[in-house]
């Protein structure tokens, strides 16, 4: 049919599970270290970064729970299972980050009028550890985040933290060489902006998926064209595409078949289309025949 396939892969769950456990353990330990050092040397940059790291531990746990729930089977009450839990997890993660941005911003403004004295060297050492831990943890999620918004949320948290730690090192270096302590709240304010900037797309996409919008990696127009390109389909309407989970999508459509297409023919058409749509990122498809006359053997079906 001349349509290019876009292969969509469901992440390796075993590898992702291990990534979550490593990420949670490493970030919990680093958060504790950063809080202790930040309080000891009275550094807002370290304390705010530790607060963000604490949220990373929480959001990694939320993401892991969302992924686990999404794998549970359907019940009489939840006929799709708990698949959307992973989308809800990505939304919660984005909201937590937005709240932290507000907290860091307010504290930064308060400290502009009274910047504290601190030891720049300790900030640099602590932040270097953060770059290593967050960078390594983010790397573990790099492959899975391309196909799953829940994993992408975890990946963004860790990647931003690594970049933020780099900003903290800049702050510590400036304080060490110049004694200009006001750079601490300035860097903290920049941290807040970086977090907000990286979170915005995650927040928009998770809200869209909760409201059953078309997933970002799927094109409504391309899907419709795949269906129309089939030689036995006349037209398509009532096309609906939505996310079942952060890694699985669903589609329903009414198909108008061309004259003379039998029920047996339609079963083959359905099989071909499901195969094609799977490669377009649609794992679950439901088709309804909507035609004025197509033949079922010797019988006319209305």
């Amino acid at each position: 049919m001349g349509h290019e396939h876009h292969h969509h892969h469901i992440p390796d769950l075993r590898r992702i599970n291990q990534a979550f456990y490593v990420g949670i353990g490493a970030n919990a330990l680093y958060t504790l270290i950063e809080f202790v050092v930040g309080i000891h040397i009275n550094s807002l940059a370290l304390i705010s970064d530790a607060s963000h790291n604490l949220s990373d531990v929480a959001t990694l746990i939320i993401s892991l729970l969302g992924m686990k729930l999404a794998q549970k089977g359907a019940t009489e009450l939840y006929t799709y299972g708990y698949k959307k839990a992973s989308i809800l997890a990505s939304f919660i993660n984005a909201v937590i980050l937005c709240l932290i941005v507000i907290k860091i911003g307010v504290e930064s403004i308060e400290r502009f009028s009274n910047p504290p004295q601190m030891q720049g060297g300790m900030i640099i050492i602590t932040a270097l550890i953060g770059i290593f831990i967050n960078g390594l943890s983010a790397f573990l999620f790099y492959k899975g985040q391309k196909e799953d918004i829940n994993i992408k949320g975890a990946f963004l948290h860790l990647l931003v933290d690594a970049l933020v730690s780099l900003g903290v090192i800049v702050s510590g270096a400036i304080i060490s060489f110049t004694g200009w302590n006001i750079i601490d709240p300035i860097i903290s304010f920049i941290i807040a902006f970086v977090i907000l900037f990286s979170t915005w797309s995650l927040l928009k996409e998770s809200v869209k998926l909760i409201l059953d919008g078309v997933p970002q990696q799927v094109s409504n127009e391309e899907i419709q064209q795949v269906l129309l390109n089939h030689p036995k389909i006349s037209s398509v309407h009532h096309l609906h595409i939505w996310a079942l989970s952060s890694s699985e999508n669903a589609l329903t459509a009414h198909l108008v078949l061309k004259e003379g297409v039998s029920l047996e023919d339609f079963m083959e058409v359905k099989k071909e289309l499901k195969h094609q749509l799977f490669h377009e990122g649609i794992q679950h498809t439901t088709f309804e025949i909507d035609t004025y006359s197509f033949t079922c053997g010797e019988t006319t079906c209305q």
Side-chain angles (χ1 to χ4, degrees):
M1 295 181 193
H3 189 86
E4 181 184 356
H5 284 172
H6 306 284
H7 294 275
H8 296 260
H9 303 283
I10 294 176
D12 181 349
L13 294 178
R14 183 178 177 184
R15 185 181 61 79
I16 291 298
N17 269 330
Q18 292 173 345
F20 272 114
Y21 295 139
V22 171
I24 290 169
N27 276 274
L29 179 61
Y30 176 61
T31 297
L32 180 62
I33 293 171
E34 201 169 25
F35 260 128
V36 170
V37 175
I39 292 170
H40 180 68
I41 66 173
N42 197 28
S43 167
L44 174 61
L46 279 182
I47 294 172
S48 62
D49 193 39
S51 300
H52 184 209
N53 271 306
L54 182 62
S55 80
D56 278 347
V57 176
T59 53
L60 284 173
I61 293 172
I62 290 168
S63 293
L64 178 61
L65 289 174
M67 190 180 71
K68 294 285 189 183
L69 282 171
Q71 296 168 40
K72 294 180 73 69
T75 66
E76 289 186 7
L77 184 60
Y78 295 96
T79 55
Y80 272 129
Y82 300 88
K83 293 183 181 296
K84 253 196 169 93
S86 58
I87 296 174
L88 185 60
S90 67
F91 172 72
I92 293 171
N93 286 345
V95 170
I96 288 173
L97 274 176
C98 289
L99 292 174
I100 287 174
V101 166
I102 295 171
K103 177 178 178 292
I104 294 174
V106 170
E107 290 184 1
S108 298
I109 292 170
E110 289 175 351
R111 288 215 177 185
F112 268 114
S113 59
N114 187 26
Q117 298 294 319
M118 20 179 181
Q119 304 167 38
M122 287 297 293
I123 297 174
I124 293 173
I125 293 170
T126 309
L128 277 171
I129 298 171
I131 289 177
F132 175 75
I133 290 176
N134 288 310
L136 177 63
S137 299
F139 176 76
L140 295 175
F141 290 103
Y142 178 73
K143 191 173 182 181
Q145 62 92 22
K146 295 179 180 179
E147 302 295 338
D148 190 314
I149 189 177
N150 184 32
I151 298 171
K152 183 179 181 180
F155 171 78
L156 280 178
H157 274 267
L158 296 166
L159 182 63
V160 166
D161 274 355
L163 296 174
V164 163
S165 293
L166 183 61
V168 171
I169 288 175
V170 173
S171 171
I174 292 173
I175 290 169
S176 291
F177 289 106
T178 68
W180 193 34
N181 290 301
I182 199 170
I183 196 66
D184 182 61
I186 292 174
I187 291 293
S188 296
F189 200 77
I190 293 171
I191 286 173
F193 179 78
V194 169
I195 296 169
L196 183 63
F197 181 79
S198 64
T199 304
W200 187 245
S201 63
L202 179 67
L203 181 63
K204 285 197 302 181
E205 182 67 12
S206 57
V207 168
K208 183 179 73 176
L209 296 186
I210 288 173
L211 296 175
D212 288 335
V214 178
Q216 191 173 31
Q217 72 274 23
V218 176
S219 167
N220 195 315
E221 291 77 12
E222 286 186 15
I223 296 298
Q224 187 159 1
Q225 198 58 50
V226 167
L227 299 175
L228 288 173
N229 281 345
H230 197 285
K232 294 180 180 178
I233 292 178
S234 174
S235 63
V236 177
H237 54 279
H238 295 309
L239 175 64
H240 300 286
I241 305 169
W242 71 99
L244 286 177
S245 74
S246 55
S247 61
E248 293 181 73
N249 302 316
L251 171 150
T252 61
H254 289 213
L255 305 178
V256 177
L257 303 177
K258 291 185 176 178
E259 189 175 350
V261 178
S262 68
L263 179 60
E264 291 77 12
D265 289 336
F266 172 68
M267 297 307 291
E268 187 61 32
V269 169
K270 185 167 71 169
K271 182 179 177 181
E272 291 172 5
L273 289 176
K274 284 192 174 187
H275 176 75
Q276 275 192 288
L277 292 174
F278 183 83
H279 290 290
E280 297 290 340
I282 308 293
Q283 289 79 18
H284 303 269
T285 56
T286 303
F287 296 121
E288 181 175 328
I289 302 169
D290 200 354
T291 182
Y292 297 107
S293 65
F294 85 96
T295 57
C296 303
E298 299 178 354
T299 310
T300 300
C301 302
Q302 299 292 336

